[in-house]
Amino acid sequence: MPTIPIRKYRLTSLTEPTDRMLSQLMKSVSAAANERADKAHRAYFAEIDVLVREARISWNAKNSPAAK
């Protein structure tokens, strides 16, 4: 089987990937998925931090002695 560079290989190709190519594909897919998951995780908790800060400000404003 001819060697196909990993960036050129498509899973819809008519040729089966070698075990080595399949391993490389899975590693690159895994790395990309982990990067996206880490980015989503950071964005999620950053949004929670903003919401908590806003809730504290609102609560303090409602419960301050000046508000009563």
Side-chain angles (χ1 to χ4, degrees), residues 2-39:
T3 304
I4 302 169
I6 202 75
R7 293 208 178 270
K8 300 278 185 190
Y9 186 80
R10 299 289 175 249
L11 290 175
T12 57
S13 176
L14 296 176
T15 58
E16 291 289 322
T18 63
D19 288 341
R20 185 173 173 198
M21 286 176 69
L22 193 55
S23 175
Q24 286 178 325
L25 283 168
M26 293 300 115
K27 284 179 186 175
S28 66
V29 167
S30 174
N34 286 336
E35 286 177 26
R36 285 192 310 268
D38 288 342
K39 183 178 177 182

PDB file of all heavy atoms in Angstrom, residues 2-39:
ATOM      1  N   PRO A   2       0.547   2.242  -0.789  1.00  0.00           N
ATOM      2  CA  PRO A   2       1.359   3.458  -0.810  1.00  0.00           C
ATOM      3  C   PRO A   2       1.221   4.219   0.509  1.00  0.00           C
ATOM      4  O   PRO A   2       0.183   4.188   1.152  1.00  0.00           O
ATOM      5  CB  PRO A   2       0.786   4.261  -1.968  1.00  0.00           C
ATOM      6  CG  PRO A   2      -0.583   3.744  -2.158  1.00  0.00           C
ATOM      7  CD  PRO A   2      -0.559   2.302  -1.719  1.00  0.00           C
ATOM      8  N   THR A   3       2.289   4.902   0.880  1.00  0.00           N
ATOM      9  CA  THR A   3       2.264   5.700   2.093  1.00  0.00           C
ATOM     10  C   THR A   3       1.606   7.034   1.792  1.00  0.00           C
ATOM     11  O   THR A   3       1.998   7.734   0.860  1.00  0.00           O
ATOM     12  CB  THR A   3       3.692   5.937   2.614  1.00  0.00           C
ATOM     13  OG1 THR A   3       4.312   4.678   2.809  1.00  0.00           O
ATOM     14  CG2 THR A   3       3.686   6.701   3.906  1.00  0.00           C
ATOM     15  N   ILE A   4       0.611   7.392   2.580  1.00  0.00           N
ATOM     16  CA  ILE A   4      -0.116   8.648   2.410  1.00  0.00           C
ATOM     17  C   ILE A   4       0.192   9.525   3.617  1.00  0.00           C
ATOM     18  O   ILE A   4       0.069   9.073   4.748  1.00  0.00           O
ATOM     19  CB  ILE A   4      -1.638   8.392   2.331  1.00  0.00           C
ATOM     20  CG1 ILE A   4      -1.961   7.442   1.187  1.00  0.00           C
ATOM     21  CG2 ILE A   4      -2.400   9.699   2.176  1.00  0.00           C
ATOM     22  CD1 ILE A   4      -3.379   6.939   1.204  1.00  0.00           C
ATOM     23  N   PRO A   5       0.604  10.777   3.388  1.00  0.00           N
ATOM     24  CA  PRO A   5       0.840  11.666   4.534  1.00  0.00           C
ATOM     25  C   PRO A   5      -0.426  11.789   5.375  1.00  0.00           C
ATOM     26  O   PRO A   5      -1.540  11.806   4.850  1.00  0.00           O
ATOM     27  CB  PRO A   5       1.208  13.003   3.893  1.00  0.00           C
ATOM     28  CG  PRO A   5       1.612  12.677   2.497  1.00  0.00           C
ATOM     29  CD  PRO A   5       0.872  11.430   2.121  1.00  0.00           C
ATOM     30  N   ILE A   6      -0.249  11.860   6.680  1.00  0.00           N
ATOM     31  CA  ILE A   6      -1.380  11.865   7.610  1.00  0.00           C
ATOM     32  C   ILE A   6      -2.336  13.018   7.338  1.00  0.00           C
ATOM     33  O   ILE A   6      -3.539  12.876   7.474  1.00  0.00           O
ATOM     34  CB  ILE A   6      -0.864  11.861   9.065  1.00  0.00           C
ATOM     35  CG1 ILE A   6      -1.915  11.329  10.016  1.00  0.00           C
ATOM     36  CG2 ILE A   6      -0.426  13.217   9.515  1.00  0.00           C
ATOM     37  CD1 ILE A   6      -2.103   9.884   9.965  1.00  0.00           C
ATOM     38  N   ARG A   7      -1.844  14.166   6.919  1.00  0.00           N
ATOM     39  CA  ARG A   7      -2.714  15.314   6.636  1.00  0.00           C
ATOM     40  C   ARG A   7      -3.525  15.116   5.367  1.00  0.00           C
ATOM     41  O   ARG A   7      -4.553  15.740   5.182  1.00  0.00           O
ATOM     42  CB  ARG A   7      -1.900  16.591   6.528  1.00  0.00           C
ATOM     43  CG  ARG A   7      -1.273  17.006   7.834  1.00  0.00           C
ATOM     44  CD  ARG A   7      -1.100  18.511   7.841  1.00  0.00           C
ATOM     45  NE  ARG A   7      -0.549  18.988   9.084  1.00  0.00           N
ATOM     46  CZ  ARG A   7      -1.285  19.356  10.135  1.00  0.00           C
ATOM     47  NH1 ARG A   7      -2.583  19.276  10.083  1.00  0.00           N
ATOM     48  NH2 ARG A   7      -0.712  19.801  11.222  1.00  0.00           N
ATOM     49  N   LYS A   8      -3.081  14.252   4.493  1.00  0.00           N
ATOM     50  CA  LYS A   8      -3.774  14.023   3.225  1.00  0.00           C
ATOM     51  C   LYS A   8      -4.802  12.895   3.323  1.00  0.00           C
ATOM     52  O   LYS A   8      -5.676  12.783   2.488  1.00  0.00           O
ATOM     53  CB  LYS A   8      -2.766  13.660   2.119  1.00  0.00           C
ATOM     54  CG  LYS A   8      -1.740  14.717   1.855  1.00  0.00           C
ATOM     55  CD  LYS A   8      -2.296  15.770   0.956  1.00  0.00           C
ATOM     56  CE  LYS A   8      -1.203  16.761   0.611  1.00  0.00           C
ATOM     57  NZ  LYS A   8      -1.705  17.912  -0.046  1.00  0.00           N
ATOM     58  N   TYR A   9      -4.671  12.042   4.348  1.00  0.00           N
ATOM     59  CA  TYR A   9      -5.546  10.882   4.440  1.00  0.00           C
ATOM     60  C   TYR A   9      -6.941  11.285   4.894  1.00  0.00           C
ATOM     61  O   TYR A   9      -7.109  12.109   5.777  1.00  0.00           O
ATOM     62  CB  TYR A   9      -4.982   9.839   5.413  1.00  0.00           C
ATOM     63  CG  TYR A   9      -5.812   8.583   5.410  1.00  0.00           C
ATOM     64  CD1 TYR A   9      -5.648   7.651   4.406  1.00  0.00           C
ATOM     65  CD2 TYR A   9      -6.793   8.373   6.361  1.00  0.00           C
ATOM     66  CE1 TYR A   9      -6.442   6.514   4.360  1.00  0.00           C
ATOM     67  CE2 TYR A   9      -7.584   7.239   6.325  1.00  0.00           C
ATOM     68  CZ  TYR A   9      -7.407   6.320   5.322  1.00  0.00           C
ATOM     69  OH  TYR A   9      -8.195   5.206   5.269  1.00  0.00           O
ATOM     70  N   ARG A  10      -7.930  10.717   4.282  1.00  0.00           N
ATOM     71  CA  ARG A  10      -9.334  10.922   4.660  1.00  0.00           C
ATOM     72  C   ARG A  10      -9.929   9.557   4.970  1.00  0.00           C
ATOM     73  O   ARG A  10      -9.665   8.568   4.271  1.00  0.00           O
ATOM     74  CB  ARG A  10     -10.127  11.575   3.522  1.00  0.00           C
ATOM     75  CG  ARG A  10      -9.613  12.944   3.120  1.00  0.00           C
ATOM     76  CD  ARG A  10      -9.938  13.962   4.224  1.00  0.00           C
ATOM     77  NE  ARG A  10      -9.366  15.246   3.928  1.00  0.00           N
ATOM     78  CZ  ARG A  10      -8.366  15.790   4.594  1.00  0.00           C
ATOM     79  NH1 ARG A  10      -7.791  15.149   5.570  1.00  0.00           N
ATOM     80  NH2 ARG A  10      -7.909  16.978   4.286  1.00  0.00           N
ATOM     81  N   LEU A  11     -10.752   9.490   5.998  1.00  0.00           N
ATOM     82  CA  LEU A  11     -11.355   8.215   6.372  1.00  0.00           C
ATOM     83  C   LEU A  11     -12.300   7.696   5.296  1.00  0.00           C
ATOM     84  O   LEU A  11     -12.650   6.530   5.295  1.00  0.00           O
ATOM     85  CB  LEU A  11     -12.075   8.326   7.719  1.00  0.00           C
ATOM     86  CG  LEU A  11     -11.151   8.499   8.922  1.00  0.00           C
ATOM     87  CD1 LEU A  11     -11.980   8.719  10.182  1.00  0.00           C
ATOM     88  CD2 LEU A  11     -10.244   7.304   9.092  1.00  0.00           C
ATOM     89  N   THR A  12     -12.692   8.546   4.370  1.00  0.00           N
ATOM     90  CA  THR A  12     -13.553   8.109   3.281  1.00  0.00           C
ATOM     91  C   THR A  12     -12.739   7.588   2.098  1.00  0.00           C
ATOM     92  O   THR A  12     -13.296   7.230   1.069  1.00  0.00           O
ATOM     93  CB  THR A  12     -14.440   9.277   2.795  1.00  0.00           C
ATOM     94  OG1 THR A  12     -13.611  10.361   2.407  1.00  0.00           O
ATOM     95  CG2 THR A  12     -15.398   9.714   3.880  1.00  0.00           C
ATOM     96  N   SER A  13     -11.429   7.550   2.281  1.00  0.00           N
ATOM     97  CA  SER A  13     -10.549   7.081   1.222  1.00  0.00           C
ATOM     98  C   SER A  13     -10.840   5.614   0.915  1.00  0.00           C
ATOM     99  O   SER A  13     -11.348   4.864   1.747  1.00  0.00           O
ATOM    100  CB  SER A  13      -9.092   7.228   1.654  1.00  0.00           C
ATOM    101  OG  SER A  13      -8.236   6.703   0.675  1.00  0.00           O
ATOM    102  N   LEU A  14     -10.507   5.193  -0.284  1.00  0.00           N
ATOM    103  CA  LEU A  14     -10.719   3.801  -0.681  1.00  0.00           C
ATOM    104  C   LEU A  14      -9.670   2.865  -0.090  1.00  0.00           C
ATOM    105  O   LEU A  14      -9.879   1.659  -0.035  1.00  0.00           O
ATOM    106  CB  LEU A  14     -10.724   3.680  -2.206  1.00  0.00           C
ATOM    107  CG  LEU A  14     -11.856   4.412  -2.914  1.00  0.00           C
ATOM    108  CD1 LEU A  14     -11.696   4.285  -4.431  1.00  0.00           C
ATOM    109  CD2 LEU A  14     -13.195   3.856  -2.481  1.00  0.00           C
ATOM    110  N   THR A  15      -8.557   3.420   0.354  1.00  0.00           N
ATOM    111  CA  THR A  15      -7.508   2.583   0.942  1.00  0.00           C
ATOM    112  C   THR A  15      -7.624   2.594   2.461  1.00  0.00           C
ATOM    113  O   THR A  15      -7.953   3.614   3.063  1.00  0.00           O
ATOM    114  CB  THR A  15      -6.107   3.088   0.546  1.00  0.00           C
ATOM    115  OG1 THR A  15      -5.973   4.435   0.971  1.00  0.00           O
ATOM    116  CG2 THR A  15      -5.899   2.998  -0.956  1.00  0.00           C
ATOM    117  N   GLU A  16      -7.375   1.470   3.069  1.00  0.00           N
ATOM    118  CA  GLU A  16      -7.420   1.346   4.520  1.00  0.00           C
ATOM    119  C   GLU A  16      -6.170   1.992   5.117  1.00  0.00           C
ATOM    120  O   GLU A  16      -5.082   1.863   4.572  1.00  0.00           O
ATOM    121  CB  GLU A  16      -7.455  -0.134   4.920  1.00  0.00           C
ATOM    122  CG  GLU A  16      -8.741  -0.844   4.567  1.00  0.00           C
ATOM    123  CD  GLU A  16      -9.890  -0.378   5.443  1.00  0.00           C
ATOM    124  OE1 GLU A  16      -9.685  -0.135   6.641  1.00  0.00           O
ATOM    125  OE2 GLU A  16     -10.999  -0.245   4.903  1.00  0.00           O
ATOM    126  N   PRO A  17      -6.313   2.658   6.262  1.00  0.00           N
ATOM    127  CA  PRO A  17      -5.126   3.225   6.892  1.00  0.00           C
ATOM    128  C   PRO A  17      -4.294   2.110   7.534  1.00  0.00           C
ATOM    129  O   PRO A  17      -4.836   1.095   7.965  1.00  0.00           O
ATOM    130  CB  PRO A  17      -5.695   4.150   7.966  1.00  0.00           C
ATOM    131  CG  PRO A  17      -7.017   3.558   8.295  1.00  0.00           C
ATOM    132  CD  PRO A  17      -7.529   2.963   7.006  1.00  0.00           C
ATOM    133  N   THR A  18      -3.005   2.321   7.588  1.00  0.00           N
ATOM    134  CA  THR A  18      -2.154   1.360   8.296  1.00  0.00           C
ATOM    135  C   THR A  18      -2.400   1.543   9.786  1.00  0.00           C
ATOM    136  O   THR A  18      -2.995   2.536  10.223  1.00  0.00           O
ATOM    137  CB  THR A  18      -0.670   1.616   7.994  1.00  0.00           C
ATOM    138  OG1 THR A  18      -0.337   2.925   8.484  1.00  0.00           O
ATOM    139  CG2 THR A  18      -0.373   1.524   6.504  1.00  0.00           C
ATOM    140  N   ASP A  19      -1.962   0.598  10.581  1.00  0.00           N
ATOM    141  CA  ASP A  19      -2.115   0.721  12.033  1.00  0.00           C
ATOM    142  C   ASP A  19      -1.400   1.965  12.547  1.00  0.00           C
ATOM    143  O   ASP A  19      -1.900   2.661  13.429  1.00  0.00           O
ATOM    144  CB  ASP A  19      -1.568  -0.523  12.738  1.00  0.00           C
ATOM    145  CG  ASP A  19      -2.458  -1.743  12.534  1.00  0.00           C
ATOM    146  OD1 ASP A  19      -3.640  -1.562  12.165  1.00  0.00           O
ATOM    147  OD2 ASP A  19      -1.978  -2.870  12.766  1.00  0.00           O
ATOM    148  N   ARG A  20      -0.252   2.243  11.981  1.00  0.00           N
ATOM    149  CA  ARG A  20       0.518   3.416  12.389  1.00  0.00           C
ATOM    150  C   ARG A  20      -0.246   4.697  12.049  1.00  0.00           C
ATOM    151  O   ARG A  20      -0.318   5.618  12.861  1.00  0.00           O
ATOM    152  CB  ARG A  20       1.867   3.400  11.688  1.00  0.00           C
ATOM    153  CG  ARG A  20       2.785   4.482  12.117  1.00  0.00           C
ATOM    154  CD  ARG A  20       4.142   4.286  11.496  1.00  0.00           C
ATOM    155  NE  ARG A  20       4.992   5.428  11.778  1.00  0.00           N
ATOM    156  CZ  ARG A  20       6.073   5.705  11.129  1.00  0.00           C
ATOM    157  NH1 ARG A  20       6.473   4.923  10.146  1.00  0.00           N
ATOM    158  NH2 ARG A  20       6.777   6.747  11.443  1.00  0.00           N
ATOM    159  N   MET A  21      -0.808   4.752  10.830  1.00  0.00           N
ATOM    160  CA  MET A  21      -1.580   5.931  10.424  1.00  0.00           C
ATOM    161  C   MET A  21      -2.818   6.101  11.297  1.00  0.00           C
ATOM    162  O   MET A  21      -3.152   7.211  11.713  1.00  0.00           O
ATOM    163  CB  MET A  21      -2.001   5.825   8.955  1.00  0.00           C
ATOM    164  CG  MET A  21      -0.883   6.040   7.974  1.00  0.00           C
ATOM    165  SD  MET A  21      -1.418   5.788   6.272  1.00  0.00           S
ATOM    166  CE  MET A  21      -2.488   7.191   6.037  1.00  0.00           C
ATOM    167  N   LEU A  22      -3.489   5.002  11.573  1.00  0.00           N
ATOM    168  CA  LEU A  22      -4.687   5.051  12.402  1.00  0.00           C
ATOM    169  C   LEU A  22      -4.335   5.539  13.806  1.00  0.00           C
ATOM    170  O   LEU A  22      -5.061   6.349  14.396  1.00  0.00           O
ATOM    171  CB  LEU A  22      -5.359   3.688  12.449  1.00  0.00           C
ATOM    172  CG  LEU A  22      -6.765   3.639  13.009  1.00  0.00           C
ATOM    173  CD1 LEU A  22      -7.678   4.600  12.279  1.00  0.00           C
ATOM    174  CD2 LEU A  22      -7.302   2.224  12.935  1.00  0.00           C
ATOM    175  N   SER A  23      -3.218   5.081  14.319  1.00  0.00           N
ATOM    176  CA  SER A  23      -2.760   5.522  15.633  1.00  0.00           C
ATOM    177  C   SER A  23      -2.477   7.024  15.625  1.00  0.00           C
ATOM    178  O   SER A  23      -2.873   7.747  16.541  1.00  0.00           O
ATOM    179  CB  SER A  23      -1.503   4.751  16.039  1.00  0.00           C
ATOM    180  OG  SER A  23      -0.997   5.236  17.242  1.00  0.00           O
ATOM    181  N   GLN A  24      -1.817   7.507  14.573  1.00  0.00           N
ATOM    182  CA  GLN A  24      -1.539   8.937  14.456  1.00  0.00           C
ATOM    183  C   GLN A  24      -2.826   9.743  14.344  1.00  0.00           C
ATOM    184  O   GLN A  24      -2.968  10.810  14.956  1.00  0.00           O
ATOM    185  CB  GLN A  24      -0.658   9.214  13.244  1.00  0.00           C
ATOM    186  CG  GLN A  24       0.773   8.803  13.414  1.00  0.00           C
ATOM    187  CD  GLN A  24       1.588   9.068  12.147  1.00  0.00           C
ATOM    188  OE1 GLN A  24       1.066   8.935  11.033  1.00  0.00           O
ATOM    189  NE2 GLN A  24       2.842   9.411  12.313  1.00  0.00           N
ATOM    190  N   LEU A  25      -3.765   9.241  13.561  1.00  0.00           N
ATOM    191  CA  LEU A  25      -5.053   9.925  13.421  1.00  0.00           C
ATOM    192  C   LEU A  25      -5.773  10.032  14.766  1.00  0.00           C
ATOM    193  O   LEU A  25      -6.280  11.087  15.134  1.00  0.00           O
ATOM    194  CB  LEU A  25      -5.956   9.184  12.423  1.00  0.00           C
ATOM    195  CG  LEU A  25      -5.652   9.366  10.953  1.00  0.00           C
ATOM    196  CD1 LEU A  25      -6.430   8.348  10.126  1.00  0.00           C
ATOM    197  CD2 LEU A  25      -5.984  10.774  10.514  1.00  0.00           C
ATOM    198  N   MET A  26      -5.797   8.934  15.501  1.00  0.00           N
ATOM    199  CA  MET A  26      -6.481   8.917  16.795  1.00  0.00           C
ATOM    200  C   MET A  26      -5.794   9.852  17.791  1.00  0.00           C
ATOM    201  O   MET A  26      -6.462  10.541  18.568  1.00  0.00           O
ATOM    202  CB  MET A  26      -6.542   7.499  17.364  1.00  0.00           C
ATOM    203  CG  MET A  26      -7.415   6.547  16.559  1.00  0.00           C
ATOM    204  SD  MET A  26      -9.127   7.118  16.487  1.00  0.00           S
ATOM    205  CE  MET A  26      -9.301   7.456  14.766  1.00  0.00           C
ATOM    206  N   LYS A  27      -4.472   9.896  17.769  1.00  0.00           N
ATOM    207  CA  LYS A  27      -3.748  10.801  18.669  1.00  0.00           C
ATOM    208  C   LYS A  27      -4.050  12.255  18.334  1.00  0.00           C
ATOM    209  O   LYS A  27      -4.272  13.079  19.234  1.00  0.00           O
ATOM    210  CB  LYS A  27      -2.247  10.550  18.590  1.00  0.00           C
ATOM    211  CG  LYS A  27      -1.818   9.308  19.318  1.00  0.00           C
ATOM    212  CD  LYS A  27      -0.320   9.079  19.187  1.00  0.00           C
ATOM    213  CE  LYS A  27       0.050   7.749  19.816  1.00  0.00           C
ATOM    214  NZ  LYS A  27       1.479   7.429  19.618  1.00  0.00           N
ATOM    215  N   SER A  28      -4.077  12.589  17.042  1.00  0.00           N
ATOM    216  CA  SER A  28      -4.337  13.981  16.670  1.00  0.00           C
ATOM    217  C   SER A  28      -5.789  14.358  16.969  1.00  0.00           C
ATOM    218  O   SER A  28      -6.054  15.475  17.432  1.00  0.00           O
ATOM    219  CB  SER A  28      -3.994  14.238  15.208  1.00  0.00           C
ATOM    220  OG  SER A  28      -4.838  13.520  14.350  1.00  0.00           O
ATOM    221  N   VAL A  29      -6.713  13.444  16.756  1.00  0.00           N
ATOM    222  CA  VAL A  29      -8.118  13.709  17.078  1.00  0.00           C
ATOM    223  C   VAL A  29      -8.284  13.870  18.580  1.00  0.00           C
ATOM    224  O   VAL A  29      -8.976  14.776  19.053  1.00  0.00           O
ATOM    225  CB  VAL A  29      -9.025  12.579  16.536  1.00  0.00           C
ATOM    226  CG1 VAL A  29     -10.420  12.672  17.123  1.00  0.00           C
ATOM    227  CG2 VAL A  29      -9.078  12.626  15.022  1.00  0.00           C
ATOM    228  N   SER A  30      -7.622  13.025  19.344  1.00  0.00           N
ATOM    229  CA  SER A  30      -7.686  13.100  20.799  1.00  0.00           C
ATOM    230  C   SER A  30      -7.114  14.426  21.299  1.00  0.00           C
ATOM    231  O   SER A  30      -7.691  15.074  22.175  1.00  0.00           O
ATOM    232  CB  SER A  30      -6.927  11.929  21.416  1.00  0.00           C
ATOM    233  OG  SER A  30      -6.865  12.056  22.804  1.00  0.00           O
ATOM    234  N   ALA A  31      -5.987  14.842  20.750  1.00  0.00           N
ATOM    235  CA  ALA A  31      -5.368  16.106  21.164  1.00  0.00           C
ATOM    236  C   ALA A  31      -6.290  17.279  20.847  1.00  0.00           C
ATOM    237  O   ALA A  31      -6.463  18.181  21.681  1.00  0.00           O
ATOM    238  CB  ALA A  31      -4.024  16.276  20.478  1.00  0.00           C
ATOM    239  N   ALA A  32      -6.884  17.273  19.678  1.00  0.00           N
ATOM    240  CA  ALA A  32      -7.793  18.355  19.293  1.00  0.00           C
ATOM    241  C   ALA A  32      -9.021  18.378  20.201  1.00  0.00           C
ATOM    242  O   ALA A  32      -9.468  19.449  20.633  1.00  0.00           O
ATOM    243  CB  ALA A  32      -8.209  18.206  17.834  1.00  0.00           C
ATOM    244  N   ALA A  33      -9.560  17.216  20.505  1.00  0.00           N
ATOM    245  CA  ALA A  33     -10.732  17.139  21.384  1.00  0.00           C
ATOM    246  C   ALA A  33     -10.389  17.623  22.789  1.00  0.00           C
ATOM    247  O   ALA A  33     -11.182  18.338  23.422  1.00  0.00           O
ATOM    248  CB  ALA A  33     -11.263  15.712  21.431  1.00  0.00           C
ATOM    249  N   ASN A  34      -9.213  17.260  23.279  1.00  0.00           N
ATOM    250  CA  ASN A  34      -8.792  17.707  24.608  1.00  0.00           C
ATOM    251  C   ASN A  34      -8.608  19.221  24.647  1.00  0.00           C
ATOM    252  O   ASN A  34      -8.974  19.867  25.637  1.00  0.00           O
ATOM    253  CB  ASN A  34      -7.502  17.005  25.033  1.00  0.00           C
ATOM    254  CG  ASN A  34      -7.744  15.563  25.428  1.00  0.00           C
ATOM    255  OD1 ASN A  34      -8.837  15.188  25.807  1.00  0.00           O
ATOM    256  ND2 ASN A  34      -6.706  14.757  25.320  1.00  0.00           N
ATOM    257  N   GLU A  35      -8.059  19.796  23.593  1.00  0.00           N
ATOM    258  CA  GLU A  35      -7.898  21.251  23.525  1.00  0.00           C
ATOM    259  C   GLU A  35      -9.255  21.947  23.558  1.00  0.00           C
ATOM    260  O   GLU A  35      -9.440  22.933  24.283  1.00  0.00           O
ATOM    261  CB  GLU A  35      -7.145  21.655  22.266  1.00  0.00           C
ATOM    262  CG  GLU A  35      -5.668  21.370  22.301  1.00  0.00           C
ATOM    263  CD  GLU A  35      -4.976  21.730  20.993  1.00  0.00           C
ATOM    264  OE1 GLU A  35      -5.476  22.617  20.266  1.00  0.00           O
ATOM    265  OE2 GLU A  35      -3.946  21.110  20.705  1.00  0.00           O
ATOM    266  N   ARG A  36     -10.209  21.437  22.767  1.00  0.00           N
ATOM    267  CA  ARG A  36     -11.556  22.038  22.757  1.00  0.00           C
ATOM    268  C   ARG A  36     -12.227  21.887  24.109  1.00  0.00           C
ATOM    269  O   ARG A  36     -12.896  22.809  24.586  1.00  0.00           O
ATOM    270  CB  ARG A  36     -12.409  21.410  21.660  1.00  0.00           C
ATOM    271  CG  ARG A  36     -12.053  21.886  20.273  1.00  0.00           C
ATOM    272  CD  ARG A  36     -13.086  21.496  19.233  1.00  0.00           C
ATOM    273  NE  ARG A  36     -13.447  20.092  19.264  1.00  0.00           N
ATOM    274  CZ  ARG A  36     -12.871  19.137  18.556  1.00  0.00           C
ATOM    275  NH1 ARG A  36     -11.896  19.437  17.726  1.00  0.00           N
ATOM    276  NH2 ARG A  36     -13.266  17.884  18.660  1.00  0.00           N
ATOM    277  N   ALA A  37     -12.068  20.740  24.745  1.00  0.00           N
ATOM    278  CA  ALA A  37     -12.672  20.517  26.061  1.00  0.00           C
ATOM    279  C   ALA A  37     -12.064  21.449  27.102  1.00  0.00           C
ATOM    280  O   ALA A  37     -12.787  22.019  27.930  1.00  0.00           O
ATOM    281  CB  ALA A  37     -12.496  19.061  26.479  1.00  0.00           C
ATOM    282  N   ASP A  38     -10.748  21.627  27.074  1.00  0.00           N
ATOM    283  CA  ASP A  38     -10.094  22.539  28.013  1.00  0.00           C
ATOM    284  C   ASP A  38     -10.568  23.972  27.805  1.00  0.00           C
ATOM    285  O   ASP A  38     -10.835  24.697  28.767  1.00  0.00           O
ATOM    286  CB  ASP A  38      -8.568  22.473  27.868  1.00  0.00           C
ATOM    287  CG  ASP A  38      -7.979  21.185  28.412  1.00  0.00           C
ATOM    288  OD1 ASP A  38      -8.665  20.488  29.198  1.00  0.00           O
ATOM    289  OD2 ASP A  38      -6.828  20.876  28.050  1.00  0.00           O
ATOM    290  N   LYS A  39     -10.687  24.373  26.545  1.00  0.00           N
ATOM    291  CA  LYS A  39     -11.153  25.732  26.237  1.00  0.00           C
ATOM    292  C   LYS A  39     -12.588  25.928  26.732  1.00  0.00           C
ATOM    293  O   LYS A  39     -12.913  26.953  27.346  1.00  0.00           O
ATOM    294  CB  LYS A  39     -11.077  25.971  24.728  1.00  0.00           C
ATOM    295  CG  LYS A  39     -11.460  27.360  24.309  1.00  0.00           C
ATOM    296  CD  LYS A  39     -11.322  27.539  22.806  1.00  0.00           C
ATOM    297  CE  LYS A  39     -11.773  28.916  22.380  1.00  0.00           C
ATOM    298  NZ  LYS A  39     -11.695  29.097  20.930  1.00  0.00           N
TER     299      LYS A  39
END
